[in-house]
PDB file of all heavy atoms in Angstrom:
ATOM      1  N   ALA B 192       7.631  -9.498  10.404  1.00 98.00           N
ATOM      2  CA  ALA B 192       8.322  -9.380   9.115  1.00 98.00           C
ATOM      3  C   ALA B 192       7.778  -8.217   8.291  1.00 98.00           C
ATOM      4  O   ALA B 192       6.565  -8.049   8.159  1.00 98.00           O
ATOM      5  CB  ALA B 192       8.164 -10.679   8.326  1.00 98.00           C
ATOM      6  N   LEU B 193       8.688  -7.433   7.753  1.00 98.00           N
ATOM      7  CA  LEU B 193       8.336  -6.372   6.815  1.00 98.00           C
ATOM      8  C   LEU B 193       9.031  -6.629   5.495  1.00 98.00           C
ATOM      9  O   LEU B 193      10.129  -7.184   5.463  1.00 98.00           O
ATOM     10  CB  LEU B 193       8.828  -4.999   7.322  1.00 98.00           C
ATOM     11  CG  LEU B 193       8.333  -4.476   8.645  1.00 98.00           C
ATOM     12  CD1 LEU B 193       8.997  -3.127   8.934  1.00 98.00           C
ATOM     13  CD2 LEU B 193       6.813  -4.314   8.617  1.00 98.00           C
ATOM     14  N   MET B 194       8.377  -6.203   4.415  1.00 98.00           N
ATOM     15  CA  MET B 194       9.065  -6.128   3.131  1.00 98.00           C
ATOM     16  C   MET B 194       9.303  -4.646   2.877  1.00 98.00           C
ATOM     17  O   MET B 194       8.358  -3.863   2.904  1.00 98.00           O
ATOM     18  CB  MET B 194       8.176  -6.679   2.008  1.00 98.00           C
ATOM     19  CG  MET B 194       7.836  -8.153   2.159  1.00 98.00           C
ATOM     20  SD  MET B 194       6.757  -8.749   0.834  1.00 98.00           S
ATOM     21  CE  MET B 194       5.143  -8.185   1.404  1.00 98.00           C
ATOM     22  N   GLU B 195      10.542  -4.271   2.673  1.00 98.00           N
ATOM     23  CA  GLU B 195      10.789  -2.890   2.240  1.00 98.00           C
ATOM     24  C   GLU B 195      10.900  -2.917   0.731  1.00 98.00           C
ATOM     25  O   GLU B 195      11.770  -3.587   0.167  1.00 98.00           O
ATOM     26  CB  GLU B 195      12.046  -2.297   2.873  1.00 98.00           C
ATOM     27  CG  GLU B 195      12.258  -0.861   2.384  1.00 98.00           C
ATOM     28  CD  GLU B 195      13.349  -0.080   3.111  1.00 98.00           C
ATOM     29  OE1 GLU B 195      13.529  -0.303   4.322  1.00 98.00           O
ATOM     30  OE2 GLU B 195      14.013   0.733   2.451  1.00 98.00           O
ATOM     31  N   ILE B 196       9.998  -2.215   0.075  1.00 98.00           N
ATOM     32  CA  ILE B 196       9.930  -2.215  -1.390  1.00 98.00           C
ATOM     33  C   ILE B 196      10.354  -0.828  -1.866  1.00 98.00           C
ATOM     34  O   ILE B 196       9.707   0.169  -1.561  1.00 98.00           O
ATOM     35  CB  ILE B 196       8.503  -2.543  -1.860  1.00 98.00           C
ATOM     36  CG1 ILE B 196       8.060  -3.900  -1.277  1.00 98.00           C
ATOM     37  CG2 ILE B 196       8.426  -2.562  -3.388  1.00 98.00           C
ATOM     38  CD1 ILE B 196       6.560  -4.141  -1.322  1.00 98.00           C
ATOM     39  N   VAL B 197      11.464  -0.774  -2.586  1.00 98.00           N
ATOM     40  CA  VAL B 197      12.052   0.507  -2.972  1.00 98.00           C
ATOM     41  C   VAL B 197      11.817   0.741  -4.462  1.00 98.00           C
ATOM     42  O   VAL B 197      12.111  -0.120  -5.287  1.00 98.00           O
ATOM     43  CB  VAL B 197      13.573   0.509  -2.685  1.00 98.00           C
ATOM     44  CG1 VAL B 197      14.182   1.867  -3.016  1.00 98.00           C
ATOM     45  CG2 VAL B 197      13.842   0.124  -1.239  1.00 98.00           C
ATOM     46  N   SER B 198      11.286   1.925  -4.802  1.00 98.00           N
ATOM     47  CA  SER B 198      11.068   2.243  -6.224  1.00 98.00           C
ATOM     48  C   SER B 198      12.242   3.041  -6.751  1.00 98.00           C
ATOM     49  O   SER B 198      13.003   3.639  -5.998  1.00 98.00           O
ATOM     50  CB  SER B 198       9.786   3.057  -6.403  1.00 98.00           C
ATOM     51  OG  SER B 198      10.051   4.438  -6.181  1.00 98.00           O
ATOM     52  N   GLU B 199      12.363   3.085  -8.074  1.00 98.00           N
ATOM     53  CA  GLU B 199      13.281   4.022  -8.715  1.00 98.00           C
ATOM     54  C   GLU B 199      12.650   5.417  -8.603  1.00 98.00           C
ATOM     55  O   GLU B 199      11.440   5.536  -8.422  1.00 98.00           O
ATOM     56  CB  GLU B 199      13.435   3.649 -10.199  1.00 98.00           C
ATOM     57  CG  GLU B 199      14.133   2.305 -10.430  1.00 98.00           C
ATOM     58  CD  GLU B 199      15.619   2.361 -10.106  1.00 98.00           C
ATOM     59  OE1 GLU B 199      16.283   3.317 -10.539  1.00 98.00           O
ATOM     60  OE2 GLU B 199      16.110   1.458  -9.399  1.00 98.00           O
ATOM     61  N   PRO B 200      13.475   6.468  -8.725  1.00 97.00           N
ATOM     62  CA  PRO B 200      12.903   7.837  -8.677  1.00 97.00           C
ATOM     63  C   PRO B 200      12.195   8.165  -9.987  1.00 97.00           C
ATOM     64  O   PRO B 200      12.563   9.092 -10.694  1.00 97.00           O
ATOM     65  CB  PRO B 200      14.141   8.718  -8.446  1.00 97.00           C
ATOM     66  CG  PRO B 200      15.282   7.935  -8.987  1.00 97.00           C
ATOM     67  CD  PRO B 200      14.940   6.481  -8.838  1.00 97.00           C
ATOM     68  N   ASP B 201      11.152   7.408 -10.305  1.00 97.00           N
ATOM     69  CA  ASP B 201      10.502   7.492 -11.616  1.00 97.00           C
ATOM     70  C   ASP B 201       9.198   8.278 -11.611  1.00 97.00           C
ATOM     71  O   ASP B 201       8.568   8.426 -12.645  1.00 97.00           O
ATOM     72  CB  ASP B 201      10.180   6.069 -12.134  1.00 97.00           C
ATOM     73  CG  ASP B 201      11.427   5.344 -12.627  1.00 97.00           C
ATOM     74  OD1 ASP B 201      12.493   5.995 -12.725  1.00 97.00           O
ATOM     75  OD2 ASP B 201      11.334   4.136 -12.896  1.00 97.00           O
ATOM     76  N   MET B 202       8.751   8.739 -10.437  1.00 97.00           N
ATOM     77  CA  MET B 202       7.460   9.428 -10.399  1.00 97.00           C
ATOM     78  C   MET B 202       7.676  10.942 -10.456  1.00 97.00           C
ATOM     79  O   MET B 202       8.693  11.441  -9.984  1.00 97.00           O
ATOM     80  CB  MET B 202       6.683   9.017  -9.153  1.00 97.00           C
ATOM     81  CG  MET B 202       6.145   7.591  -9.290  1.00 97.00           C
ATOM     82  SD  MET B 202       5.823   6.816  -7.702  1.00 97.00           S
ATOM     83  CE  MET B 202       7.431   6.198  -7.280  1.00 97.00           C
ATOM     84  N   ARG B 203       6.710  11.635 -11.074  1.00 96.00           N
ATOM     85  CA  ARG B 203       6.885  13.060 -11.342  1.00 96.00           C
ATOM     86  C   ARG B 203       5.781  13.945 -10.760  1.00 96.00           C
ATOM     87  O   ARG B 203       5.740  15.136 -11.021  1.00 96.00           O
ATOM     88  CB  ARG B 203       6.959  13.290 -12.862  1.00 96.00           C
ATOM     89  CG  ARG B 203       8.158  12.621 -13.528  1.00 96.00           C
ATOM     90  CD  ARG B 203       9.463  13.315 -13.146  1.00 96.00           C
ATOM     91  NE  ARG B 203      10.631  12.649 -13.690  1.00 96.00           N
ATOM     92  CZ  ARG B 203      11.300  11.677 -13.043  1.00 96.00           C
ATOM     93  NH1 ARG B 203      10.914  11.267 -11.848  1.00 96.00           N
ATOM     94  NH2 ARG B 203      12.355  11.124 -13.586  1.00 96.00           N
ATOM     95  N   SER B 204       4.855  13.353 -10.019  1.00 96.00           N
ATOM     96  CA  SER B 204       3.783  14.162  -9.432  1.00 96.00           C
ATOM     97  C   SER B 204       3.161  13.392  -8.281  1.00 96.00           C
ATOM     98  O   SER B 204       3.327  12.177  -8.170  1.00 96.00           O
ATOM     99  CB  SER B 204       2.696  14.455 -10.480  1.00 96.00           C
ATOM    100  OG  SER B 204       2.048  13.249 -10.843  1.00 96.00           O
ATOM    101  N   ALA B 205       2.441  14.116  -7.438  1.00 96.00           N
ATOM    102  CA  ALA B 205       1.732  13.484  -6.327  1.00 96.00           C
ATOM    103  C   ALA B 205       0.720  12.479  -6.863  1.00 96.00           C
ATOM    104  O   ALA B 205       0.509  11.417  -6.283  1.00 96.00           O
ATOM    105  CB  ALA B 205       1.042  14.544  -5.472  1.00 96.00           C
TER     106      ALA B 205
END
Side-chain angles (χ1 to χ4, degrees):
Chain B
L193 300 178
M194 297 179 279
E195 180 171 326
I196 303 163
V197 183
S198 84
E199 293 289 314
D201 285 351
M202 287 157 276
R203 297 289 176 270
S204 66

